[in-house]
Amino acid sequence: MTTVTGGCFSVPAAETEAERLVIAAERIPSTETLPVPLTESPVETQSAGQTENNAEKEAESDETAATETAPALPEETDPSTEKAAEKEQMPETETKPSENQGEGTESPPETESGKESEKGTESPSGVSESERSSERVSETEQESELQTETGTEISDKEETETEPETESETEILLDEIPEEESESETEEDYSDGSYYYNGSYWDPSWYFRRDFRFSQVKKQYAIAQGERSNRIYEQPDQKSAIVGEIPFFGLVCVLKSIGDWSYVESGDVRGFIPSSKLESGSDTTEMVDLIGEKGFETATSDIEIADNRAFTYTQTTTKDVLADKDSALVLTKAKVLEYPKENARAVGEVQSGSLVYILAEPQDEKDWYFVESGDVRGFIRRSDLFSGGSVASILQDSGNENLATELINPEDNRSLYFSLSSVKPAASSMGEEIAEYATTFVGKIPYVWGGTSLSYGADCSGFVQSIFSSFGINLPRIAQDQGANGEIVPDVSDAQPGDVVYWGSNPHVGIYLGDGKVVHCSGHSYNTAENPGTGPMISNVDFMPITSIRRYIILQDENEGIAETGFRTDGTEYSQKQMELIWAIVAQEDNGSYQGALAVISSAMNRTESGKWGYEGGNALSQLTAPGQYCYSMDRYWKSRLNGNVPDYVKQAVDDCLRRGIRNHSFTSFRSRKGKTTGANAVQIGGNWFFGA
């Protein structure tokens, strides 16, 4: 992707009006599409009668609209107005604005998806606006490829509008927070697979499949007691397969406790042992510290690592896993093999000049290296590589980082765990790595408006983008975009280290560190390389009213499984507040019956497995809160159902679907009325017609 210049910026006027429209529509989400602020203003809603009338009008327009779900282009605005709206401003102090100041700066999102809630509302002007949007796309010969069938039809009246901020509130806020910067943008290249969808930017690098890398945890020692040889099992069940044995007084490290069982690591063995056969605690730790780990025996393995299904029960280990980057360049086209044998299966392929990292050297096979390149891990001959200290300088001069191509999935590679080390941290711990790395720049680099350099200076969004880029994650360049995309984090109490915090009142971004702290690059629009600003600093996360928190390290939950029904369960450990949000959205979409509620939550889970909708997230909550889809971003009627204010059958339906894998259909979309989009095969469940399987 071509890196754009500028700080947290607005779009300049194009040479022609048509070009400006295309750039605004396809590359930059409207500032009105920013996510709902975490602290919200009072809302004006329509009456029930008006709601029903609007729903009827929308149903009729659905039958006649030429383009039912094509994303609408943003309204035309004067370029100077756009620059003023998207100007990023940051205080150099950590003074937190007052509550009424925060309310005066919040702006909920404008949704642009074909979505209709039974209780939703719309204005008659919606149809003409949709037609005008389609005509604009046609006139500029930029026909949208992002046309989709969403779960329900859009409500054209903005039900998420807050009460207008008062002039006095705005003036007070702007007086206390000095102007920071406005930004400009160059045209981006999306040939790397990134794209815009429903006004939001998405990049494949944000989404991590089930992680195969391990993160390091603190050692919790335990010593085997009782028998001369204690068995370690593949499951917490003595009838399961035996994966290894630990002698009396042998040393293990407990990774997790599960009831009467402990999941342990000892030597190269990982598995389950009854907790009653282990002695742990402070006395055990003191004994190990006194004697030393080498004074104890460790477990011996009965099966190969690749055959031990308990090996990845957790992605944690007490061993060092983050390896130094020992770089090597491939001299000629070659295969990365599963074993250090010429006739072994190829797990990946490298071209001349490809970059690999040497992780280990097999003791019995001196002619081979165990290497990693991207997600490819396996063996390659020493003679095929050029290594040494000069490789790093060659890479720096050329900028070349061509990596291996996968020939099989990593999880199918039997040599995947020949070494647990990797040059990349596990995705589950990557947020902490990112947060820690960001703090190393505090006081080290200046704020430079428009900069993205971690050596010479950056602005707020340039700093965040460059930090994430160091971990192979491509964030948008603009602060507003960084705060409008990725996976929604509902509240600061749910935030994790590495999440991106966005303050929309004066567009600004930072990286959450945990414990209510954030690191952000502070400065002003007049700060240049010759006149630099403060730079990265650590502040309280709420020093300005938080507009949104977004997660770009999106990992499929490792605790999910397949239920007896044959459907995947949602293994996410939701907080009470998150569960109440799920219940409220489901109840708002269909509050008529258990089957209707089950149908709504089933559609969300179906989307997590859909090639069309899976990018929205791997669990039910991420799908239900995706921009422009379910009622979460369409209206606010669901808010009255928070705090568990829903029928018990809604809670039961959600629990049955998420925990027991029960679903009553395989469709991904729904509308309240059957029409052209739903098609002839649509099925009515509860109050909606489901389709789009």
Side-chain angles (χ1 to χ4, degrees), residues 256-281:
K256 190 173 183 178
S257 296
I258 313 99
D260 297 332
W261 291 79
S262 293
Y263 179 67
V264 301
E265 175 181 67
S266 181
D268 292 330
V269 180
R270 295 166 63 88
F272 299 90
I273 188 171
S275 299
S276 60
K277 296 187 177 182
L278 298 176
E279 183 72 29
S280 59

Side-chain angles (χ1 to χ4, degrees), residues 278-430:
L278 298 176
E279 183 72 29
S280 59
S282 58
D283 291 342
T284 299
T285 301
E286 291 179 7
M287 185 186 304
V288 175
D289 291 341
L290 179 63
I291 300 175
E293 290 185 21
K294 293 183 179 179
F296 296 86
E297 293 187 66
T298 56
T300 56
S301 179
D302 288 348
I303 62 175
E304 288 190 34
I305 290 174
D307 296 326
N308 181 4
R309 289 183 295 175
F311 197 85
T312 55
Y313 180 74
T314 70
Q315 300 290 132
T316 58
T317 179
T318 59
K319 301 177 181 180
D320 294 332
V321 290
L322 200 57
D324 294 332
K325 291 187 175 181
D326 187 359
S327 309
L329 293 175
V330 178
L331 296 174
T332 183
K333 182 178 179 180
K335 303 288 186 183
V336 180
L337 304 178
E338 195 169 27
Y339 293 102
K341 306 290 182 184
E342 291 290 357
N343 60 350
R345 180 173 63 159
V347 298
E349 186 176 68
V350 287
Q351 305 296 325
S352 176
S354 292
L355 172 65
V356 301
Y357 296 104
I358 300 171
L359 298 180
E361 302 178 39
Q363 293 182 353
D364 300 329
E365 301 289 345
K366 300 299 184 182
D367 295 333
W368 297 81
Y369 281 131
F370 182 72
V371 301
E372 177 179 67
S373 182
D375 284 346
V376 175
R377 292 160 63 87
F379 297 89
I380 192 170
R381 279 199 172 276
R382 288 172 178 254
S383 56
D384 290 334
L385 300 179
F386 171 69
S387 59
S390 58
V391 172
S393 59
I394 293 174
L395 289 171
Q396 185 175 4
D397 293 339
S398 66
N400 173 39
E401 285 197 4
N402 295 324
L403 302 176
T405 301
E406 293 179 28
L407 297 180
I408 66 170
N409 293 327
E411 55 267 28
D412 297 327
N413 179 4
R414 293 180 65 85
S415 70
L416 186 66
Y417 298 116
F418 178 82
S419 169
L420 294 186
S421 63
S422 171
V423 295
K424 294 172 62 177
S428 56
S429 63
M430 191 178 292

Side-chain angles (χ1 to χ4, degrees), residues 159-199:
E159 300 156 16
T160 55
E161 291 182 0
T162 59
E163 293 182 355
E165 60 180 327
T166 64
E167 182 178 349
S168 61
E169 287 174 332
T170 305
E171 289 176 351
I172 293 172
L173 182 64
L174 295 180
D175 286 341
E176 292 191 5
I177 303 178
E179 175 184 349
E180 183 182 358
E181 59 189 61
S182 62
E183 307 183 356
S184 58
E185 179 184 28
T186 59
E187 185 171 338
E188 291 200 47
D189 175 17
Y190 300 108
S191 59
D192 61 350
S194 59
Y195 58 97
Y196 273 91
Y197 180 82
N198 276 357

